[in-house]
C-alpha cells in the first residue's frame, strides 16, 4: 500500500516566493494551482488564463471554481488569449473532458463566476504585476504560451523583469501527444512557444511531457490521494471520476510509451517553482521550437552542441526528487475549506 504522509520530506521554512500563474485550467492545472495555494512559502499574485484545455471563458470559470474550493477567491483571475497568435484552427481537446474539468455536474453559477473575472486583460495584468515586483516574480506557465509571447511583444523588457520562468510543455525525446512530434501546449501555439524560448532571457526551466511521464506515480497513490477527508480532495475525486485520463487504463499514447501510472503534468513545473531543490538533474542547453516541418511543427528541439549559436541556455528537467514532489501533492489536497471544517471533517495527518 502507498501510505500518504510517509515520505521523508516535509515543507520547511523558505523565503516567501511571489508566483504568477498562466494556465489553461484543466484538471492538471487545477492540481498545480492547488499545490501553489497550499504552499506556505508562496504568495500567488494572480492567475492569467489562456485557451487550451477549453475555450478561454471556460478556463476562467474553471480557475474560479478551483479558487472557491480552496477558499482563495481573493486571488485575481484575468482572461487572456482566446486563440493562437496566427489564429490557427485547433483540434478539439477532450483529454480532461470537453469543459476541462471532467464534465461533471457543476453547482456554481456560470454568470456569477464570469462576473468575478477582472476586466483588465491577462497580458496587461501580467506586465503590470511583474513590473510592480521587478526581479521577484516566478512565472509558471501551464498552458499554451500565447499570453507570454504577447507580453514580450507589448513590453520587450518583460522577460528581464522576471525572477525566473517555469514551463510545463515541449518534448525532449521527439515524442508527441498532440501530433507525432509535438506536445500539447507547444503544439497549440508553436509560434508563441518559439518566441518565448527565443526571447525570454530570464532563467527558464522546462518540464517536458516525456519528463513528467517518466516520473509518474502509482495508481494506488492516486486513489488514496483523492480519498483524503477534505473538500479539496472531494472536489478532485469528483472532477476525475468520469475522466479517462485518470482511469487506470488512462490515455493510450502515454500508456503505450511509458506504461500505466498517474501523471499530474502541470504540477511538476509548479513544484519546481515552489522548491528548486526538487530538480535533482537538468540538461542545460539551447532549445528551439520547429515551425516549418510537416511532421515536426511544434516540436521542441534540444541543441546541446549549440549549432544555432544561441546565447541563452534553458534548463530542461531530467530528474526529480519524488519524495518532495509527492509531499507537495499530498499538501495540495489537505486544504480544508471553512465550510468543510464547520462540518467536523479533519484532514489526514
Amino acid at each position: 500500500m502507498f501510505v500518504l504522509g510517509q515520505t521523508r520530506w516535509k515543507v520547511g521554512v523558505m523565503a516567501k516566493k511571489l508566483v504568477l500563474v498562466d494556465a489553461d485550467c484543466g484538471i492538471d492545472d487545477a492540481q498545480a494551482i492547488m499545490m501553489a495555494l497550499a504552499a506556505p512559502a508562496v504568495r500567488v499574485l494572480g492567475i492569467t488564463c489562456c485557451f487550451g484545455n477549453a475555450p478561454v471563458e471556460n478556463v476562467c470559470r474553471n480557475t474560479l471554481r478551483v479558487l472557491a474550493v480552496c477558499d482563495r477567491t481573493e486571488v485575481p483571475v484575468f482572461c487572456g488569449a482566446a486563440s493562437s497568435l496566427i489564429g490557427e484552427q485547433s483540434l478539439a481537446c477532450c483529454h480532461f473532458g470537453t469543459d476541462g474539468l471532467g464534465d461533471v455536474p457543476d453547482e456554481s453559477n456560470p454568470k456569477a463566476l464570469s462576473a468575478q473575472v477582472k476586466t483588465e486583460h491577462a497580458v496587461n495584468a501580467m506586465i503590470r504585476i511583474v513590473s510592480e515586483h521587478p526581479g521577484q516574480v516566478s512565472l509558471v506557465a501551464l498552458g499554451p504560451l500565447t499570453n507570454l509571447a504577447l507580453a514580450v511583444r507589448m513590453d520587450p523588457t518583460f522577460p528581464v523583469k522576471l525572477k525566473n520562468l517555469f514551463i510545463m510543455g515541449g518534448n525532449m525525446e521527439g515524442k508527441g501527444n498532440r501530433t507525432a512530434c509535438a506536445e500539447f501546449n507547444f503544439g497549440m501555439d508553436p509560434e508563441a512557444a518559439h518566441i518565448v524560448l527565443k526571447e525570454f532571457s530570464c532563467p527558464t526551466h522546462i518540464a517536458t511531457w516525456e519528463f513528467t511521464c517518466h516520473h509518474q506515480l502509482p495508481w494506488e497513490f492516486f486513489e488514496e490521494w483523492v480519498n483524503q477527508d477534505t473538500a479539496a480532495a472531494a472536489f478532485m475525486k469528483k472532477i476525475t471520476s468520469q475522466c479517462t485520463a485518470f482511469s487506470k487504463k488512462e490515455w493510450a499514447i502515454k500508456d503505450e510509451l511509458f506504461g500505466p501510472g498517474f501523471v499530474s503534468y502541470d504540477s511538476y513545473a509548479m513544484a519546481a517553482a515552489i522548491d528548486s531543490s526538487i530538480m535533482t538533474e537538468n540538461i542545460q542547453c539551447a532549445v528551439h521550437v520547429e515551425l516549418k516541418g510537416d511532421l515536426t511543427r511544434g516540436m521542441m528541439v534540444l541543441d546541446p552542441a549549440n549549432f544555432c549559436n544561441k546565447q541563452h541556455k534553458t534548463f530542461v528537467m531530467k530528474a526529480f526528487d519524488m519524495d518532495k514532489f509527492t509531499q507537495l501533492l499530498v499538501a495540495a489536497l489537505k486544504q480544508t475549506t471553512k465550510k468543510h471544517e464547520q462540518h467536523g471533517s479533519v484532514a489526514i495527518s
Side-chain angles (χ1 to χ4, degrees):
M1 177 179 290
F2 195 106
V3 181
L4 298 182
Q6 289 191 357
T7 51
R8 297 190 300 272
W9 181 83
K10 295 183 181 297
V11 176
V13 177
M14 294 181 284
K16 199 75 170 178
K17 294 187 176 181
L18 303 183
V19 170
L20 178 62
V21 183
D22 187 72
D24 62 334
C25 196
I27 293 175
D28 59 337
D29 300 75
Q31 293 163 353
I33 291 168
M34 288 176 157
M35 180 183 284
L37 296 176
V42 168
R43 177 187 169 197
V44 179
L45 299 174
I47 301 174
T48 54
C49 297
C50 180
F51 78 100
N53 283 309
V56 69
E57 295 80 9
N58 211 85
V59 168
C60 292
R61 291 194 294 271
N62 291 350
T63 302
L64 288 163
R65 286 176 65 186
V66 172
L67 292 174
V69 166
C70 298
D71 278 340
R72 295 295 301 276
T73 54
E74 81 281 0
V75 176
V77 175
F78 306 90
C79 185
S83 65
S84 68
L85 290 181
I86 64 173
E88 189 174 52
Q89 187 65 35
S90 298
L91 300 173
C93 174
C94 298
H95 184 53
F96 296 126
T98 58
D99 70 346
L101 286 187
D103 291 323
V104 295
D106 178 14
E107 299 177 359
S108 57
N109 184 327
K111 290 185 177 179
L113 284 178
S114 296
Q116 296 176 41
V117 179
K118 302 300 182 182
T119 57
E120 185 180 17
H121 192 278
V123 177
N124 292 330
M126 187 180 285
I127 293 170
R128 174 183 56 79
I129 291 170
V130 171
S131 296
E132 290 172 351
H133 306 278
Q136 301 177 60
V137 177
S138 295
L139 176 55
V140 184
L142 308 177
L145 299 177
T146 315
N147 285 337
L148 280 69
L150 290 170
V152 73
R153 284 290 176 263
M154 291 179 65
D155 179 5
T157 68
F158 176 74
V160 299
K161 297 176 185 175
L162 287 170
K163 179 179 180 180
N164 41 38
L165 170 63
F166 294 86
I167 297 172
M168 189 280 134
N171 47 5
M172 59 196 297
E173 299 171 3
K175 299 172 183 175
N177 64 350
R178 176 68 174 173
T179 64
C181 295
E183 176 273 335
F184 177 81
N185 287 338
F186 281 26
M188 290 292 280
D189 194 343
E191 279 73 22
H194 177 83
I195 289 170
V196 170
L197 294 186
K198 180 180 180 182
E199 300 187 23
F200 275 58
S201 57
C202 60
T204 300
H205 305 264
I206 301 179
T208 65
W209 179 62
E210 300 105 326
F211 165 79
T212 65
C213 293
H214 283 309
H215 291 78
Q216 60 190 7
L217 290 164
W219 279 112
E220 58 182 336
F221 165 82
F222 174 79
E223 293 298 333
E224 293 191 35
W225 186 56
V226 298
N227 280 293
Q228 297 181 75
D229 188 18
T230 67
F235 173 75
M236 189 56 59
K237 184 176 182 178
K238 178 181 178 182
I239 64 177
T240 57
S241 62
Q242 299 178 36
C243 182
T244 57
F246 291 91
S247 70
K248 291 186 179 180
K249 293 181 179 179
E250 228 235 319
W251 197 19
I253 296 176
K254 179 254 164 199
D255 267 8
E256 184 175 347
L257 293 175
F258 304 100
F262 162 55
V263 183
S264 181
Y265 305 100
D266 288 336
S267 296
Y268 295 83
M270 184 63 74
I274 292 170
D275 180 6
S276 61
S277 71
I278 203 168
M279 299 179 289
T280 57
E281 186 177 357
N282 293 289
I283 301 170
Q284 186 178 6
C285 66
V287 295
H288 312 271
V289 177
E290 175 59 46
L291 298 180
K292 298 178 182 179
D294 290 337
L295 296 177
T296 57
R297 175 170 161 77
M299 175 181 173
M300 189 175 85
V301 179
L302 274 61
D303 183 14
N306 203 13
F307 285 105
C308 296
N309 195 28
K310 186 176 180 181
Q311 296 299 315
H312 178 55
K313 305 297 191 298
T314 298
F315 296 93
V316 180
M317 299 180 202
K318 188 175 180 181
F320 232 43
D321 186 323
M322 293 304 290
D323 279 347
K324 292 183 178 182
F325 180 64
T326 302
Q327 191 65 27
L328 285 173
L329 278 175
V330 172
L333 296 193
K334 277 191 176 181
Q335 299 177 78
T336 306
T337 65
K338 296 174 184 176
K339 180 179 179 181
H340 198 67
E341 287 176 336
Q342 289 168 358
H343 282 79
S345 298
V346 180
I348 66 172
S349 58

